[in-house]
mmCIF file of all heavy atoms in Angstrom:
data_model
loop_
_atom_site.group_PDB
_atom_site.id
_atom_site.type_symbol
_atom_site.label_atom_id
_atom_site.label_comp_id
_atom_site.label_asym_id
_atom_site.label_seq_id
_atom_site.Cartn_x
_atom_site.Cartn_y
_atom_site.Cartn_z
ATOM 1 N N ASP A 1 -2.696 10.286 -12.588
ATOM 2 C CA ASP A 1 -2.928 8.876 -12.359
ATOM 3 C C ASP A 1 -2.383 8.430 -11.003
ATOM 4 O O ASP A 1 -1.856 7.311 -10.881
ATOM 5 C CB ASP A 1 -2.360 8.024 -13.490
ATOM 6 C CG ASP A 1 -2.972 6.632 -13.544
ATOM 7 O OD1 ASP A 1 -4.079 6.457 -12.959
ATOM 8 O OD2 ASP A 1 -2.412 5.712 -14.147
ATOM 9 N N GLN A 2 -2.488 9.290 -9.992
ATOM 10 C CA GLN A 2 -2.026 8.981 -8.646
ATOM 11 C C GLN A 2 -3.162 8.892 -7.689
ATOM 12 O O GLN A 2 -2.945 8.823 -6.491
ATOM 13 C CB GLN A 2 -1.015 10.039 -8.197
ATOM 14 C CG GLN A 2 0.266 10.096 -9.024
ATOM 15 C CD GLN A 2 1.222 11.168 -8.606
ATOM 16 O OE1 GLN A 2 0.839 12.041 -7.791
ATOM 17 N NE2 GLN A 2 2.420 11.178 -9.127
ATOM 18 N N LEU A 3 -4.360 8.876 -8.169
ATOM 19 C CA LEU A 3 -5.571 8.729 -7.366
ATOM 20 C C LEU A 3 -6.133 7.304 -7.564
ATOM 21 O O LEU A 3 -6.416 6.927 -8.669
ATOM 22 C CB LEU A 3 -6.636 9.749 -7.727
ATOM 23 C CG LEU A 3 -7.959 9.647 -6.973
ATOM 24 C CD1 LEU A 3 -7.776 9.960 -5.501
ATOM 25 C CD2 LEU A 3 -9.006 10.585 -7.598
ATOM 26 N N VAL A 4 -6.200 6.556 -6.456
ATOM 27 C CA VAL A 4 -6.672 5.171 -6.501
ATOM 28 C C VAL A 4 -7.957 5.068 -5.674
ATOM 29 O O VAL A 4 -7.960 5.492 -4.528
ATOM 30 C CB VAL A 4 -5.598 4.220 -5.968
ATOM 31 C CG1 VAL A 4 -6.085 2.751 -6.073
ATOM 32 C CG2 VAL A 4 -4.289 4.382 -6.712
ATOM 33 N N ILE A 5 -8.992 4.551 -6.270
ATOM 34 C CA ILE A 5 -10.296 4.370 -5.615
ATOM 35 C C ILE A 5 -10.478 2.874 -5.423
ATOM 36 O O ILE A 5 -10.425 2.123 -6.399
ATOM 37 C CB ILE A 5 -11.427 5.003 -6.387
ATOM 38 C CG1 ILE A 5 -11.151 6.502 -6.630
ATOM 39 C CG2 ILE A 5 -12.765 4.818 -5.680
ATOM 40 C CD1 ILE A 5 -12.188 7.162 -7.511
ATOM 41 N N VAL A 6 -10.731 2.439 -4.194
ATOM 42 C CA VAL A 6 -10.946 1.051 -3.887
ATOM 43 C C VAL A 6 -12.319 0.861 -3.224
ATOM 44 O O VAL A 6 -12.910 1.826 -2.776
ATOM 45 C CB VAL A 6 -9.849 0.486 -2.977
ATOM 46 C CG1 VAL A 6 -8.495 0.572 -3.658
ATOM 47 C CG2 VAL A 6 -9.804 1.246 -1.671
ATOM 48 N N ASP A 7 -12.761 -0.374 -3.201
ATOM 49 C CA ASP A 7 -14.064 -0.638 -2.592
ATOM 50 C C ASP A 7 -13.975 -0.530 -1.062
ATOM 51 O O ASP A 7 -14.796 0.122 -0.425
ATOM 52 C CB ASP A 7 -14.569 -2.033 -2.995
ATOM 53 C CG ASP A 7 -15.960 -2.275 -2.548
ATOM 54 O OD1 ASP A 7 -16.661 -1.311 -2.165
ATOM 55 O OD2 ASP A 7 -16.428 -3.462 -2.565
ATOM 56 N N ASN A 8 -12.988 -1.158 -0.470
ATOM 57 C CA ASN A 8 -12.751 -1.056 0.973
ATOM 58 C C ASN A 8 -11.263 -1.382 1.220
ATOM 59 O O ASN A 8 -10.551 -1.790 0.313
ATOM 60 C CB ASN A 8 -13.635 -2.044 1.769
ATOM 61 C CG ASN A 8 -13.438 -3.473 1.327
ATOM 62 O OD1 ASN A 8 -12.420 -4.094 1.601
ATOM 63 N ND2 ASN A 8 -14.458 -4.032 0.630
ATOM 64 N N MET A 9 -10.823 -1.129 2.462
ATOM 65 C CA MET A 9 -9.412 -1.313 2.791
ATOM 66 C C MET A 9 -9.221 -2.353 3.900
ATOM 67 O O MET A 9 -8.312 -2.301 4.686
ATOM 68 C CB MET A 9 -8.796 0.000 3.215
ATOM 69 C CG MET A 9 -8.757 1.063 2.176
ATOM 70 S SD MET A 9 -7.849 2.526 2.667
ATOM 71 C CE MET A 9 -8.201 3.638 1.302
ATOM 72 N N GLU A 10 -10.111 -3.311 3.963
ATOM 73 C CA GLU A 10 -10.003 -4.357 4.959
ATOM 74 C C GLU A 10 -8.982 -5.387 4.546
ATOM 75 O O GLU A 10 -8.977 -5.841 3.408
ATOM 76 C CB GLU A 10 -11.350 -5.023 5.182
ATOM 77 C CG GLU A 10 -12.478 -4.067 5.642
ATOM 78 C CD GLU A 10 -13.800 -4.778 5.780
ATOM 79 O OE1 GLU A 10 -13.810 -6.031 5.731
ATOM 80 O OE2 GLU A 10 -14.817 -4.103 5.946
ATOM 81 N N ILE A 11 -8.054 -5.724 5.470
ATOM 82 C CA ILE A 11 -7.056 -6.724 5.242
ATOM 83 C C ILE A 11 -7.157 -7.745 6.338
ATOM 84 O O ILE A 11 -7.632 -7.491 7.440
ATOM 85 C CB ILE A 11 -5.612 -6.118 5.155
ATOM 86 C CG1 ILE A 11 -5.304 -5.335 6.430
ATOM 87 C CG2 ILE A 11 -5.490 -5.222 3.953
ATOM 88 C CD1 ILE A 11 -3.881 -4.762 6.452
ATOM 89 N N ASP A 12 -6.634 -8.990 6.053
ATOM 90 C CA ASP A 12 -6.788 -10.077 7.010
ATOM 91 C C ASP A 12 -5.713 -10.094 8.067
ATOM 92 O O ASP A 12 -5.933 -10.575 9.166
ATOM 93 C CB ASP A 12 -6.764 -11.415 6.233
ATOM 94 C CG ASP A 12 -7.920 -11.517 5.233
ATOM 95 O OD1 ASP A 12 -8.999 -10.877 5.500
ATOM 96 O OD2 ASP A 12 -7.758 -12.183 4.198
ATOM 97 N N SER A 13 -4.558 -9.588 7.763
ATOM 98 C CA SER A 13 -3.398 -9.670 8.679
ATOM 99 C C SER A 13 -2.984 -8.282 9.144
ATOM 100 O O SER A 13 -3.130 -7.299 8.434
ATOM 101 C CB SER A 13 -2.216 -10.375 8.014
ATOM 102 O OG SER A 13 -1.097 -10.387 8.864
ATOM 103 N N HIS A 14 -2.440 -8.257 10.333
ATOM 104 C CA HIS A 14 -1.903 -7.016 10.876
ATOM 105 C C HIS A 14 -0.362 -6.953 10.767
ATOM 106 O O HIS A 14 0.251 -6.066 11.388
ATOM 107 C CB HIS A 14 -2.277 -6.867 12.361
ATOM 108 C CG HIS A 14 -1.705 -7.923 13.229
ATOM 109 N ND1 HIS A 14 -2.271 -9.171 13.369
ATOM 110 C CD2 HIS A 14 -0.590 -7.924 13.989
ATOM 111 C CE1 HIS A 14 -1.566 -9.907 14.210
ATOM 112 N NE2 HIS A 14 -0.522 -9.164 14.613
ATOM 113 N N LYS A 15 0.226 -7.863 9.978
ATOM 114 C CA LYS A 15 1.697 -7.891 9.828
ATOM 115 C C LYS A 15 2.170 -6.747 8.950
ATOM 116 O O LYS A 15 1.613 -6.539 7.829
ATOM 117 C CB LYS A 15 2.129 -9.229 9.255
ATOM 118 C CG LYS A 15 1.791 -10.428 10.148
ATOM 119 C CD LYS A 15 2.652 -10.378 11.422
ATOM 120 C CE LYS A 15 2.428 -11.647 12.269
ATOM 121 N NZ LYS A 15 3.276 -11.627 13.486
ATOM 122 N N THR A 16 3.216 -6.074 9.361
ATOM 123 C CA THR A 16 3.774 -4.990 8.543
ATOM 124 C C THR A 16 4.379 -5.511 7.278
ATOM 125 O O THR A 16 4.291 -4.873 6.222
ATOM 126 C CB THR A 16 4.860 -4.232 9.375
ATOM 127 O OG1 THR A 16 4.232 -3.752 10.590
ATOM 128 C CG2 THR A 16 5.414 -3.059 8.600
ATOM 129 N N GLY A 17 5.057 -6.653 7.321
ATOM 130 C CA GLY A 17 5.691 -7.206 6.147
ATOM 131 C C GLY A 17 4.695 -7.505 5.016
ATOM 132 O O GLY A 17 4.979 -7.287 3.828
ATOM 133 N N GLU A 18 3.521 -8.040 5.365
ATOM 134 C CA GLU A 18 2.525 -8.336 4.337
ATOM 135 C C GLU A 18 1.971 -7.069 3.699
ATOM 136 O O GLU A 18 1.714 -7.072 2.488
ATOM 137 C CB GLU A 18 1.428 -9.194 4.953
ATOM 138 C CG GLU A 18 1.870 -10.554 5.443
ATOM 139 C CD GLU A 18 0.718 -11.397 5.925
ATOM 140 O OE1 GLU A 18 -0.456 -10.945 5.735
ATOM 141 O OE2 GLU A 18 0.980 -12.480 6.467
ATOM 142 N N LEU A 19 1.777 -6.047 4.501
ATOM 143 C CA LEU A 19 1.295 -4.787 3.919
ATOM 144 C C LEU A 19 2.388 -4.187 3.007
ATOM 145 O O LEU A 19 2.033 -3.643 1.931
ATOM 146 C CB LEU A 19 0.887 -3.811 5.003
ATOM 147 C CG LEU A 19 0.365 -2.446 4.561
ATOM 148 C CD1 LEU A 19 -0.886 -2.600 3.687
ATOM 149 C CD2 LEU A 19 0.056 -1.548 5.732
ATOM 150 N N SER A 20 3.634 -4.229 3.429
ATOM 151 C CA SER A 20 4.694 -3.720 2.612
ATOM 152 C C SER A 20 4.824 -4.478 1.310
ATOM 153 O O SER A 20 5.015 -3.889 0.198
ATOM 154 C CB SER A 20 6.047 -3.795 3.351
ATOM 155 O OG SER A 20 6.005 -3.017 4.535
ATOM 156 N N ARG A 21 4.654 -5.782 1.349
ATOM 157 C CA ARG A 21 4.714 -6.615 0.149
ATOM 158 C C ARG A 21 3.551 -6.281 -0.775
ATOM 159 O O ARG A 21 3.701 -6.202 -2.012
ATOM 160 C CB ARG A 21 4.710 -8.074 0.528
ATOM 161 C CG ARG A 21 5.059 -9.038 -0.612
ATOM 162 C CD ARG A 21 5.081 -10.462 -0.131
ATOM 163 N NE ARG A 21 5.955 -10.648 1.038
ATOM 164 C CZ ARG A 21 5.463 -10.877 2.292
ATOM 165 N NH1 ARG A 21 4.179 -10.952 2.502
ATOM 166 N NH2 ARG A 21 6.338 -11.013 3.287
ATOM 167 N N MET A 22 2.377 -6.026 -0.228
ATOM 168 C CA MET A 22 1.206 -5.686 -1.020
ATOM 169 C C MET A 22 1.399 -4.354 -1.729
ATOM 170 O O MET A 22 1.050 -4.174 -2.917
ATOM 171 C CB MET A 22 -0.014 -5.649 -0.168
ATOM 172 C CG MET A 22 -1.338 -5.464 -0.932
ATOM 173 S SD MET A 22 -2.769 -5.348 0.142
ATOM 174 C CE MET A 22 -2.396 -3.779 0.963
ATOM 175 N N LEU A 23 1.955 -3.367 -1.021
ATOM 176 C CA LEU A 23 2.199 -2.074 -1.601
ATOM 177 C C LEU A 23 3.221 -2.159 -2.732
ATOM 178 O O LEU A 23 3.101 -1.485 -3.760
ATOM 179 C CB LEU A 23 2.668 -1.079 -0.543
ATOM 180 C CG LEU A 23 1.665 -0.718 0.569
ATOM 181 C CD1 LEU A 23 2.304 0.221 1.559
ATOM 182 C CD2 LEU A 23 0.426 -0.079 0.011
ATOM 183 N N LEU A 24 4.226 -3.044 -2.556
ATOM 184 C CA LEU A 24 5.228 -3.203 -3.596
ATOM 185 C C LEU A 24 4.678 -3.890 -4.816
ATOM 186 O O LEU A 24 4.924 -3.481 -5.964
ATOM 187 C CB LEU A 24 6.412 -3.989 -3.023
ATOM 188 C CG LEU A 24 7.586 -4.210 -3.958
ATOM 189 C CD1 LEU A 24 8.203 -2.904 -4.399
ATOM 190 C CD2 LEU A 24 8.647 -5.113 -3.292
ATOM 191 N N VAL A 25 3.874 -4.912 -4.626
ATOM 192 C CA VAL A 25 3.308 -5.670 -5.764
ATOM 193 C C VAL A 25 2.311 -4.804 -6.534
ATOM 194 O O VAL A 25 2.246 -4.829 -7.790
ATOM 195 C CB VAL A 25 2.636 -6.962 -5.286
ATOM 196 C CG1 VAL A 25 1.849 -7.654 -6.402
ATOM 197 C CG2 VAL A 25 3.692 -7.911 -4.691
ATOM 198 N N ASN A 26 1.540 -3.979 -5.854
ATOM 199 C CA ASN A 26 0.543 -3.139 -6.517
ATOM 200 C C ASN A 26 1.153 -1.908 -7.187
ATOM 201 O O ASN A 26 0.439 -1.157 -7.847
ATOM 202 C CB ASN A 26 -0.505 -2.697 -5.502
ATOM 203 C CG ASN A 26 -1.346 -3.850 -4.987
ATOM 204 O OD1 ASN A 26 -1.370 -4.914 -5.564
ATOM 205 N ND2 ASN A 26 -2.021 -3.640 -3.871
ATOM 206 N N GLY A 27 2.445 -1.674 -7.019
ATOM 207 C CA GLY A 27 3.069 -0.549 -7.668
ATOM 208 C C GLY A 27 2.944 0.751 -6.899
ATOM 209 O O GLY A 27 3.168 1.827 -7.475
ATOM 210 N N TRP A 28 2.584 0.711 -5.642
ATOM 211 C CA TRP A 28 2.417 1.896 -4.815
ATOM 212 C C TRP A 28 3.640 2.187 -3.976
ATOM 213 O O TRP A 28 3.657 3.139 -3.240
ATOM 214 C CB TRP A 28 1.197 1.764 -3.897
ATOM 215 C CG TRP A 28 -0.070 1.530 -4.654
ATOM 216 C CD1 TRP A 28 -0.353 1.980 -5.897
ATOM 217 C CD2 TRP A 28 -1.211 0.814 -4.191
ATOM 218 N NE1 TRP A 28 -1.614 1.578 -6.268
ATOM 219 C CE2 TRP A 28 -2.174 0.846 -5.228
ATOM 220 C CE3 TRP A 28 -1.550 0.132 -3.033
ATOM 221 C CZ2 TRP A 28 -3.440 0.258 -5.164
ATOM 222 C CZ3 TRP A 28 -2.791 -0.461 -2.940
ATOM 223 C CH2 TRP A 28 -3.736 -0.408 -3.986
ATOM 224 N N SER A 29 4.653 1.319 -4.067
ATOM 225 C CA SER A 29 5.882 1.485 -3.306
ATOM 226 C C SER A 29 7.065 1.277 -4.224
ATOM 227 O O SER A 29 7.031 0.382 -5.087
ATOM 228 C CB SER A 29 5.915 0.461 -2.137
ATOM 229 O OG SER A 29 7.152 0.566 -1.424
ATOM 230 N N PRO A 30 8.118 2.069 -4.089
ATOM 231 C CA PRO A 30 9.339 1.880 -4.950
ATOM 232 C C PRO A 30 10.028 0.588 -4.604
ATOM 233 O O PRO A 30 9.852 -0.012 -3.553
ATOM 234 C CB PRO A 30 10.181 3.125 -4.629
ATOM 235 C CG PRO A 30 9.759 3.528 -3.288
ATOM 236 C CD PRO A 30 8.298 3.194 -3.153
ATOM 237 N N LEU A 31 10.850 0.137 -5.549
ATOM 238 C CA LEU A 31 11.592 -1.077 -5.339
ATOM 239 C C LEU A 31 12.570 -0.971 -4.212
ATOM 240 O O LEU A 31 13.044 0.151 -3.860
ATOM 241 C CB LEU A 31 12.330 -1.474 -6.626
ATOM 242 C CG LEU A 31 11.439 -1.774 -7.846
ATOM 243 C CD1 LEU A 31 12.313 -2.025 -9.056
ATOM 244 C CD2 LEU A 31 10.527 -2.940 -7.568
ATOM 245 N N ALA A 32 12.909 -2.099 -3.593
ATOM 246 C CA ALA A 32 13.839 -2.069 -2.460
ATOM 247 C C ALA A 32 15.235 -1.580 -2.889
ATOM 248 O O ALA A 32 15.994 -1.059 -2.051
ATOM 249 C CB ALA A 32 13.900 -3.442 -1.789
ATOM 250 N N SER A 33 15.585 -1.805 -4.136
ATOM 251 C CA SER A 33 16.897 -1.416 -4.613
ATOM 252 C C SER A 33 17.104 0.099 -4.648
ATOM 253 O O SER A 33 18.234 0.594 -4.612
ATOM 254 C CB SER A 33 17.176 -1.998 -5.965
ATOM 255 O OG SER A 33 16.194 -1.558 -6.890
ATOM 256 N N THR A 34 16.001 0.836 -4.754
ATOM 257 C CA THR A 34 16.100 2.291 -4.778
ATOM 258 C C THR A 34 16.336 2.904 -3.415
ATOM 259 O O THR A 34 16.685 4.097 -3.329
ATOM 260 C CB THR A 34 14.842 2.893 -5.393
ATOM 261 O OG1 THR A 34 13.707 2.498 -4.571
ATOM 262 C CG2 THR A 34 14.609 2.374 -6.810
ATOM 263 N N GLU A 35 16.134 2.133 -2.370
ATOM 264 C CA GLU A 35 16.318 2.616 -0.999
ATOM 265 C C GLU A 35 15.484 3.833 -0.712
ATOM 266 O O GLU A 35 15.888 4.732 0.036
ATOM 267 C CB GLU A 35 17.825 2.929 -0.734
ATOM 268 C CG GLU A 35 18.730 1.710 -0.822
ATOM 269 C CD GLU A 35 20.159 2.074 -0.534
ATOM 270 O OE1 GLU A 35 20.425 3.265 -0.303
ATOM 271 O OE2 GLU A 35 21.021 1.110 -0.500
ATOM 272 N N ARG A 36 14.283 3.859 -1.233
ATOM 273 C CA ARG A 36 13.313 4.932 -0.958
ATOM 274 C C ARG A 36 12.087 4.359 -0.255
ATOM 275 O O ARG A 36 11.696 3.238 -0.550
ATOM 276 C CB ARG A 36 12.889 5.628 -2.247
ATOM 277 C CG ARG A 36 13.974 6.471 -2.873
ATOM 278 C CD ARG A 36 13.429 7.257 -4.029
ATOM 279 N NE ARG A 36 12.817 6.403 -5.057
ATOM 280 C CZ ARG A 36 12.023 6.796 -6.035
ATOM 281 N NH1 ARG A 36 11.742 8.115 -6.118
ATOM 282 N NH2 ARG A 36 11.516 5.948 -6.880
ATOM 283 N N SER A 37 11.505 5.140 0.606
ATOM 284 C CA SER A 37 10.338 4.722 1.343
ATOM 285 C C SER A 37 9.091 4.965 0.479
ATOM 286 O O SER A 37 9.089 5.870 -0.374
ATOM 287 C CB SER A 37 10.188 5.501 2.664
ATOM 288 O OG SER A 37 11.343 5.280 3.496
ATOM 289 N N PRO A 38 8.036 4.206 0.680
ATOM 290 C CA PRO A 38 6.796 4.468 -0.076
ATOM 291 C C PRO A 38 6.180 5.820 0.369
ATOM 292 O O PRO A 38 6.478 6.331 1.470
ATOM 293 C CB PRO A 38 5.883 3.288 0.336
ATOM 294 C CG PRO A 38 6.446 2.807 1.615
ATOM 295 C CD PRO A 38 7.934 3.036 1.579
ATOM 296 N N SER A 39 5.370 6.345 -0.472
ATOM 297 C CA SER A 39 4.717 7.619 -0.189
ATOM 298 C C SER A 39 3.227 7.449 -0.538
ATOM 299 O O SER A 39 2.817 7.713 -1.641
ATOM 300 C CB SER A 39 5.330 8.777 -1.023
ATOM 301 O OG SER A 39 4.684 9.982 -0.738
ATOM 302 N N VAL A 40 2.465 6.980 0.457
ATOM 303 C CA VAL A 40 1.054 6.605 0.219
ATOM 304 C C VAL A 40 0.222 7.229 1.343
ATOM 305 O O VAL A 40 0.581 7.128 2.498
ATOM 306 C CB VAL A 40 0.891 5.098 0.204
ATOM 307 C CG1 VAL A 40 -0.575 4.726 -0.036
ATOM 308 C CG2 VAL A 40 1.769 4.429 -0.875
ATOM 309 N N MET A 41 -0.851 7.861 0.920
ATOM 310 C CA MET A 41 -1.836 8.369 1.876
ATOM 311 C C MET A 41 -3.082 7.533 1.804
ATOM 312 O O MET A 41 -3.771 7.488 0.729
ATOM 313 C CB MET A 41 -2.177 9.846 1.574
ATOM 314 C CG MET A 41 -3.395 10.396 2.315
ATOM 315 S SD MET A 41 -3.253 10.399 4.079
ATOM 316 C CE MET A 41 -2.092 11.741 4.307
ATOM 317 N N LEU A 42 -3.405 6.789 2.843
ATOM 318 C CA LEU A 42 -4.604 5.959 2.918
ATOM 319 C C LEU A 42 -5.715 6.783 3.564
ATOM 320 O O LEU A 42 -5.537 7.313 4.634
ATOM 321 C CB LEU A 42 -4.336 4.693 3.741
ATOM 322 C CG LEU A 42 -3.183 3.800 3.238
ATOM 323 C CD1 LEU A 42 -2.957 2.667 4.216
ATOM 324 C CD2 LEU A 42 -3.469 3.265 1.856
ATOM 325 N N MET A 43 -6.842 6.885 2.869
ATOM 326 C CA MET A 43 -7.931 7.725 3.362
ATOM 327 C C MET A 43 -9.236 6.914 3.346
ATOM 328 O O MET A 43 -10.108 7.135 2.505
ATOM 329 C CB MET A 43 -8.082 8.995 2.519
ATOM 330 C CG MET A 43 -8.909 10.074 3.149
ATOM 331 S SD MET A 43 -8.807 11.640 2.232
ATOM 332 C CE MET A 43 -7.103 12.152 2.632
ATOM 333 N N PRO A 44 -9.401 5.975 4.312
ATOM 334 C CA PRO A 44 -10.668 5.248 4.422
ATOM 335 C C PRO A 44 -11.683 6.073 5.221
ATOM 336 O O PRO A 44 -11.328 6.963 5.992
ATOM 337 C CB PRO A 44 -10.284 3.980 5.144
ATOM 338 C CG PRO A 44 -9.133 4.400 5.976
ATOM 339 C CD PRO A 44 -8.365 5.463 5.241
ATOM 340 N N PHE A 45 -12.949 5.769 4.978
ATOM 341 C CA PHE A 45 -14.005 6.444 5.736
ATOM 342 C C PHE A 45 -14.022 5.901 7.163
ATOM 343 O O PHE A 45 -14.105 4.700 7.406
ATOM 344 C CB PHE A 45 -15.346 6.224 5.068
ATOM 345 C CG PHE A 45 -16.518 6.803 5.814
ATOM 346 C CD1 PHE A 45 -16.745 8.179 5.770
ATOM 347 C CD2 PHE A 45 -17.331 6.021 6.632
ATOM 348 C CE1 PHE A 45 -17.812 8.733 6.472
ATOM 349 C CE2 PHE A 45 -18.372 6.578 7.312
ATOM 350 C CZ PHE A 45 -18.636 7.910 7.269
#
């Protein structure tokens, strides 16, 4: 259950903080209290 299929990967903002917040809310990034970096491979066409 580590394969995620999405329709597209277009986002409105180029801010790093917003992308980090989105990864955290979606469950693709560990909590900040764990002091671990996310481990995500984005593979758009």
Side-chain angles (χ1 to χ4, degrees):
D1 200 19
Q2 296 176 351
L3 177 66
V4 182
I5 303 174
V6 298
D7 188 14
N8 57 72
M9 297 187 188
E10 300 179 10
I11 57 178
D12 299 331
S13 175
H14 63 277
K15 297 292 186 179
T16 302
E18 295 186 7
L19 180 60
S20 299
R21 192 178 307 108
M22 186 183 68
L23 295 177
L24 181 61
V25 171
N26 292 344
W28 302 331
S29 177
L31 298 175
S33 58
T34 60
E35 298 182 355
R36 291 187 302 167
S37 300
S39 180
V40 180
M41 167 64 72
L42 303 174
M43 196 171 290
F45 176 77

